[in-house]
Amino acid sequence: MLAMDYRGPYRVRAKHKPDPVIEHPNDAIVRVTRSCICGSDLHLYHGLVPDTRIGSTFGHEFTGVVEDVGSSVQNLKVGDHVLVPFNIFCGSCYFCQKELYSNCHNVNPEATAVGAIYGYSHTAGGYDGGQAELVRIPMADVGPTVIPKDLHVEDAVLLTDAFPTGYQAAEMGDIEEGDTVVVFGAGPVGIFAAKSAWLMGAGRVIVVDHVEYRLEFIKNYAQCEVVNFKEVADMAIHIKKMTDGLGADVCIDCVGCEAAGNAAQTLTGRYLKLQAGAATVLHWAINSVRKGGTVSIVGVYGPTFNAIPIGNAINKGLTMRMNQASVKRHLPRLIEHIQAGRIIPRQIITHRIPLEEVADAYHLFSSKLDNCIKTVLIPPGAYSNSVVAKEEA
């Protein structure tokens, strides 16, 4: 099969690899129909995630058609078109019973630190991802969800991570009716967090970034105010001036470890690796939210430590919530929002690129060329796949 192949920081290629096989009675094999490049894939691509091994295949946002199932699989059959949450989870452990699927304790040898994720280094279990023609799906009875017939495949692929992560970011903010919500980051997750904040009753949504074309897009897509941080001397003071001196009710970090905006953070977090990524947005969020407010974090950071103003958080009485999205828990509600026409996720897709050109796709997305917001990879034959063609008709 053709698959993305990691060769080292800033170096990926398309390569023919052996087809995956059923390794356990609970496995399934899926033929990929759509696969995204996620902003967090760029952390791998840039060499910032520990134990990212040469030869790995990335990709944790994908849909596909079931091609084979193990002898124990009961809930899927060959030919089903499924969306596959980025979390790999067992469905039965202490954490899965509480619907904390991203914290599953049975699918990653490093489970005390993080759950398992497709195509996201051996820190996250060492599973190959979906930027390929075929993927092995462990625990196939509990993860994949059959795509409803009235759902577009490109809406479905954005339900595997970006939309649920943005939605959970807003949910963890405990937004109350009329709240002012500040979202840091105008990438795909930030776009969905801003949109979700409205769905949860926000009275005002402000998005902070420095990429002008992304600010322009989110202003129209999510009907929000925008701030270019390069035009602001001090972020916390600026947000307080916008909010009658109090600060925002909720601040959401949708950026994570590769944040720009502070030279010292960039140097220590991204280049010298003295902390687990640049903590710029964590400082902005803690200092910009009002006393008694909530900081929600879905931006990805490394597993070691970051220097953050925890004293300010304590003295302001903040609530801080964070986690990887529990995708499966959100799917019924998010599918309902799409079917009701409240949101069309696929409108954020700007580039559809053949899997054979995966190196160019990463370069384009990483360098923010050609006004790129979201890139979807299409494996050979996926356009002519009879299941997809029928469902898109």
Side-chain angles (χ1 to χ4, degrees), residues 3-5 10-14 35-39 41-42 45-46 58 131-132 213-214 349-379:
M4 174 269 188
D5 186 60
Y10 293 88
R11 294 168 56 215
V12 300
R13 65 184 179 184
S35 178
C36 298
I37 300 177
C38 177
D41 286 330
L42 297 182
Y45 179 66
H46 295 158
F58 301 166
Q131 291 167 9
Y213 76 83
R214 291 191 169 191
I349 297 172
T350 52
H351 292 74
R352 296 165 178 83
I353 299 177
L355 178 62
E356 296 93 320
E357 299 172 19
V358 65
D360 291 337
Y362 266 87
H363 175 63
L364 181 145
F365 188 49
S366 173
S367 302
K368 298 181 175 63
L369 303 176
D370 195 30
N371 290 350
C372 181
I373 291 176
K374 190 67 174 177
T375 300
V376 171
L377 298 169
I378 303 178

Side-chain angles (χ1 to χ4, degrees), residues 2 65 87 101 119 317 340 346-347 355:
L2 193 68
V65 178
N87 330 105
Y101 302 122
R346 66 180 184 277
Q347 289 179 338
L355 178 62

Side-chain angles (χ1 to χ4, degrees), residues 261-275:
N262 183 297
Q265 288 288 342
T266 299
L267 178 65
T268 58
R270 293 172 58 184
Y271 297 119
L272 299 180
K273 296 183 174 60
L274 297 176
Q275 55 176 331

Side-chain angles (χ1 to χ4, degrees), residues 103 155 213 216 261 274 332-333 356:
N103 306 111
D155 288 330
Y213 76 83
E216 188 64 27
L274 297 176
R333 183 65 172 149
E356 296 93 320

Side-chain angles (χ1 to χ4, degrees), residues 116-329:
I117 301 171
Y118 289 98
Y120 212 78
S121 84
H122 278 66
T123 303
Y127 298 88
D128 273 332
Q131 291 167 9
E133 289 185 274
L134 295 164
V135 190
R136 182 177 75 90
I137 309 295
M139 312 288 182
D141 266 338
V142 295
T145 295
V146 176
I147 301 171
K149 295 297 182 186
D150 60 346
L151 207 67
H152 194 287
V153 64
E154 292 184 347
D155 288 330
V157 77
L158 291 169
L159 284 169
T160 61
D161 179 2
F163 186 15
T165 296
Y167 187 83
Q168 182 165 317
E171 181 192 66
M172 290 191 298
D174 289 329
I175 297 168
E176 296 182 3
E177 188 172 348
D179 273 356
T180 295
V181 178
V182 174
V183 177
F184 292 98
V189 171
I191 291 169
F192 289 127
K195 196 79 173 176
S196 299
W198 290 121
L199 293 173
M200 295 176 190
R204 188 180 184 190
V205 179
I206 303 166
V207 176
V208 179
D209 203 299
H210 69 110
V211 181
E212 280 294 344
Y213 76 83
R214 291 191 169 191
L215 289 172
E216 188 64 27
F217 178 89
I218 199 169
K219 186 167 62 177
N220 295 318
Y221 183 83
Q223 301 83 43
C224 56
E225 301 167 63
V226 298
V227 174
N228 185 331
F229 66 73
K230 287 190 173 179
E231 300 172 355
V232 172
D234 184 294
M235 182 52 64
I237 291 174
H238 187 80
I239 294 296
K240 287 178 181 174
K241 285 181 178 177
M242 295 179 73
T243 53
D244 297 328
L246 295 178
D249 299 295
V250 179
C251 282
I252 300 175
D253 174 3
C254 295
V255 179
C257 64
E258 292 197 71
N262 183 297
Q265 288 288 342
T266 299
L267 178 65
T268 58
R270 293 172 58 184
Y271 297 119
L272 299 180
K273 296 183 174 60
L274 297 176
Q275 55 176 331
T280 308
V281 171
L282 295 176
H283 283 256
W284 287 349
I286 290 171
N287 292 329
S288 300
V289 76
R290 67 164 167 78
K291 289 180 282 187
T294 300
V295 173
S296 169
I297 305 167
V298 293
V300 174
Y301 293 88
T304 52
F305 71 93
N306 286 93
I308 64 168
I310 195 67
N312 290 359
I314 293 170
N315 293 327
K316 293 174 71 174
L318 303 187
T319 297
M320 298 182 69
R321 298 186 65 189
M322 61 211 82
N323 205 348
Q324 302 275 357
S326 187
V327 172
K328 188 88 173 185
R329 177 169 67 84

